[in-house]
Amino acid sequence: MKNIPLIAAACGLIAVSGPASALDLAALLNPDTFMNALEQAGHDEMSPLGMFMAADWVVKTVMLLLLFASASVWVIFLAKIMILRWERGVLRRRYRQLDKLGTLVAAPEKFTKKNGVVSRMVQAALRERASSGEGVQMKAGIKERAGSEIARIEAGAARRMSLGAGVLANVGSTAPFVGLFGTVWGIMNSFISISESNTTNLAIVAPGIAEALLATAIGLVAAIPAVIFYNILARSIGGYKVMLADAGALVERTLSRDLDVAALADNAGTTPRRLASVPTQAAE
């Protein structure tokens, strides 16, 4: 258990060091091979893993935090992209189903038992209409209250979809400075070593400076993808919000149409008859 942080650091540093070192990742998964690699890294101070092992505990902590932040960025991005793709597909299908149906009267058969944002909007509209009655004078109030609840459903769905994007923004903005802190700390230790050894030989002080600069490199490795992923998610979430607004508008239009048809039927004393609907542009 005590070697778990070292294993994580080794895997991350091998990934940072390039494809050639990444080829040794499978071999490092063997505990014996891993311990041998740690021993070799102690002698090769200019390798990424060797620089990590030789670094001060503060610099090691900074590197581990940055590696964890980098891994979190990739996990969050991949998870949000898959969730967004799924939710956009479900929202598009429900939009087209409701648009084709053209009325909320028959909607319970198709939407009540289904999950999804459009289903919750339809259920909210039907619930408000059932609670308010069928009087003509209640029409404006029904549409206003249903529109308010639909707007809250839209806001809640957009807020849930935005969860995690803030982590990408925070990592992208702070990781370089965290890495810079580790670099400054490491260079301070290097200058202290120079003072204690009474020598300015570059071969002696270079390893300490290199391991300090490695913290900044890992900070950039964490920050650059975080900024790119955040921009991609921001655009995707913006498009999802537009789809939510289109779906909410469709539910409100369909509710208003049903109320108008019911009012005309009450005035004429006949059963409401709905004309064939013409499909509108589906949300994209």
Side-chain angles (χ1 to χ4, degrees):
M1 296 298 292
K2 64 180 181 180
N3 291 328
I4 290 178
L6 296 178
I7 295 174
C11 296
L13 292 171
I14 287 173
V16 171
S17 63
S21 297
L23 294 175
D24 298 330
L25 178 58
L28 283 175
L29 295 179
N30 188 320
D32 296 332
T33 306
F34 176 74
M35 295 307 297
N36 293 333
L38 288 181
E39 294 177 0
Q40 294 176 3
H43 301 289
D44 185 8
E45 294 183 350
M46 298 309 295
S47 67
L49 186 57
M51 288 187 286
F52 172 81
M53 297 301 297
D56 181 75
W57 68 272
V58 174
V59 182
K60 284 183 179 178
T61 302
V62 169
M63 291 181 183
L64 288 175
L65 289 175
L66 291 173
L67 288 173
F68 176 76
S70 179
S72 300
V73 164
W74 283 91
V75 170
I76 291 173
F77 174 71
L78 294 176
K80 297 303 291 186
I81 285 296
M82 290 188 291
I83 293 173
L84 260 172
R85 180 170 297 182
W86 171 264
E87 291 293 338
R88 286 167 66 96
V90 172
L91 184 59
R92 187 178 294 112
R93 290 193 298 271
R94 298 290 185 269
Y95 183 100
R96 290 171 178 170
Q97 289 175 359
L98 181 59
D99 183 44
K100 183 178 180 180
L101 196 60
T103 179
L104 298 182
V105 176
E109 301 176 1
K110 293 182 175 293
F111 291 94
T112 301
K113 296 182 179 180
K114 292 182 178 180
N115 296 324
V117 180
V118 177
S119 298
R120 292 199 299 270
M121 292 178 180
V122 170
Q123 293 169 19
L126 292 174
R127 184 168 55 250
E128 182 58 40
R129 181 178 180 181
S131 301
S132 302
E134 297 290 344
V136 177
Q137 65 278 9
M138 301 294 294
K139 175 183 174 181
I142 292 174
K143 291 194 294 184
E144 180 180 357
R145 290 187 292 273
S148 175
E149 188 168 356
I150 290 172
R152 298 315 307 160
I153 294 174
E154 291 180 25
R159 183 172 59 253
R160 287 191 298 273
M161 191 57 64
S162 300
L163 293 176
V167 175
L168 303 185
N170 290 333
V171 172
S173 60
T174 61
F177 298 102
V178 175
L180 183 60
F181 166 75
T183 297
V184 171
W185 188 276
I187 291 177
M188 288 171 53
N189 290 334
S190 297
F191 281 124
I192 293 173
S193 299
I194 292 173
S195 175
E196 293 176 349
S197 61
N198 294 322
T199 181
T200 58
N201 189 346
L202 187 61
I204 296 177
V205 301
I209 297 176
E211 67 194 32
L213 293 174
L214 181 62
T216 297
I218 298 176
L220 293 176
V221 168
I224 293 173
V227 173
I228 296 174
F229 293 163
Y230 176 78
N231 291 332
I232 294 174
L233 278 182
R235 290 194 297 268
S236 299
I237 293 173
Y240 180 70
K241 290 180 179 179
V242 172
M243 295 178 65
L244 288 174
D246 291 342
L250 176 63
V251 174
E252 292 185 34
R253 288 196 307 270
T254 306
L255 174 63
S256 178
R257 182 186 305 120
D258 288 346
L259 292 174
D260 289 340
V261 171
L264 289 175
D266 289 341
N267 292 335
T270 59
T271 302
R273 182 175 62 89
R274 186 176 63 84
L275 299 177
S277 61
V278 178
T280 59
Q281 183 65 35
E284 297 293 342

